[in-house]
Amino acid sequence: MIVRDVRFSSIIEKLQAVSKKGDGRDLLDRVVEEYGLSNAVYYARKIPELTPKEHFFALTYQDDWVRHYQDQDFFSIDPVLKAGAQSLLPVDWDVLDRRAPKIQQMFGEAQDFDVGHKGLTFPIRGVNGETALLSITSDFSDREWSQTKSIYIRDFQVIANFIHEMIIRTEGGGRLCPKLSPREIECLRWASEGKTYEDIAVLIGIRTGTVKTYMEMSRRKLNALNTTHTVARAISFKLIDPPG
């Protein structure tokens, strides 16, 4: 299993504990502080319960920047949103095409509002087909960014999904929990303890190929990228307990 520091565990616990509408937005400030970021923004594009008429945002940006962004209609040309919608993996803002004058204007003016010139965007695919994005920003130098980016990618692929599920839970969308079979849950429980497919096969008395099938079915139901992501989502839905 991946070893993470105390701040990761602390953030996950706090996200799971949020129960009141609005508290989740406040917790984004804590996430930003704990990870030394400039800002974080959650953006839901396709969630019937949250976006019947307009898109849903939870963010730490300055209000003045949000108003300026809307007034300038940056929404229609923002390459962050386009790249996030087209990717399954985290998007590093350094690779975005910024050649268009309007896009150069957007990123240039963003610095006047302390948005942060480095960024990562994490696509979120929910269990019932809903889609959202989590973006995090910083003002790190190129050297600092190259040294810390891998940590952010590792942690926020999981944190993004916990934030998504917290928003769904507290903003009126309900709990979108998939149903797993007893065998799927059993395999996930052992996987959370760091067991390989071969280990799990021996422990529960089935073929390794059957274990792989159960894990793949769980991954699809939980809309996860890999085993680590599947386990994290199962824990967030309280389908399995965190490893002791």
Side-chain angles (χ1 to χ4, degrees):
M1 297 293 288
I2 296 175
V3 177
R4 290 185 168 93
D5 58 26
V6 174
R7 66 182 174 182
F8 175 83
S9 301
S10 175
I11 290 297
I12 295 301
E13 289 175 2
K14 287 179 172 60
L15 287 168
Q16 289 180 299
V18 173
S19 60
K20 293 191 300 182
K21 185 175 182 177
D23 286 356
R25 296 172 186 254
D26 295 335
L27 188 53
L28 282 180
D29 289 323
R30 181 65 180 272
V31 173
V32 167
E33 179 182 355
E34 290 285 339
Y35 276 88
L37 299 167
S38 297
N39 285 286
V41 54
Y42 169 89
Y43 162 55
R45 298 187 301 112
K46 184 184 175 184
I47 302 179
E49 296 87 347
L50 294 181
T51 58
K53 296 182 179 179
E54 58 185 17
H55 298 163
F56 178 90
F57 291 91
L59 44 77
T60 65
Y61 291 153
Q62 296 179 25
D63 291 341
D64 287 347
W65 168 246
V66 176
R67 285 192 292 268
H68 184 70
Y69 184 95
Q70 294 171 334
D71 291 343
Q72 294 294 319
D73 192 28
F74 288 147
F75 185 88
S76 64
I77 55 92
D78 192 338
V80 172
L81 301 180
K82 181 178 180 180
Q86 295 175 343
S87 179
L88 289 174
L89 298 174
V91 177
D92 186 346
W93 292 12
D94 281 351
V95 306
L96 297 175
D97 185 352
R98 307 188 187 195
R99 290 175 293 179
K102 186 73 172 180
I103 294 175
Q104 290 181 11
Q105 176 192 345
M106 184 191 79
F107 279 104
E109 293 176 352
Q111 299 316 303
D112 296 333
F113 295 89
D114 300 321
V115 167
H117 70 282
K118 296 292 186 182
L120 287 167
T121 293
F122 298 85
I124 301 166
R125 303 292 185 268
V127 296
N128 288 326
E130 71 274 15
T131 59
L133 301 173
L134 179 75
S135 293
I136 58 173
T137 70
S138 83
D139 271 323
F140 287 168
S141 66
D142 289 344
R143 181 178 180 180
E144 290 172 322
W145 186 242
S146 66
Q147 292 173 341
T148 58
K149 181 173 62 176
S150 62
I151 297 174
Y152 289 141
I153 290 175
R154 181 195 69 181
D155 285 8
F156 277 89
Q157 284 190 91
V158 178
I159 290 174
N161 284 279
F162 276 86
I163 289 175
H164 172 68
E165 289 154 6
M166 177 270 294
I167 293 290
I168 292 292
R169 186 175 69 250
T170 60
E171 295 289 339
R175 184 70 167 172
L176 304 176
C177 184
K179 292 183 179 180
L180 302 186
S181 72
R183 276 298 198 193
E184 289 165 354
I185 291 174
E186 187 175 15
C187 289
L188 282 172
R189 190 175 292 124
W190 282 116
S192 74
E193 298 289 345
K195 302 300 183 183
T196 66
Y197 289 174
E198 290 77 11
D199 294 335
I200 296 171
V202 172
L203 287 164
I204 64 179
I206 60 176
R207 296 177 183 272
T208 301
T210 306
V211 173
K212 291 181 180 178
T213 298
Y214 282 130
M215 292 296 295
E216 176 61 17
M217 292 172 66
S218 299
R219 186 190 68 77
R220 291 180 181 179
K221 289 180 181 180
L222 290 165
N223 203 18
L225 297 173
N226 50 41
T227 297
T228 300
H229 192 193
T230 304
V231 169
R233 289 180 67 81
I235 293 171
S236 76
F237 280 111
K238 302 188 186 307
L239 295 170
I240 62 174
D241 294 326

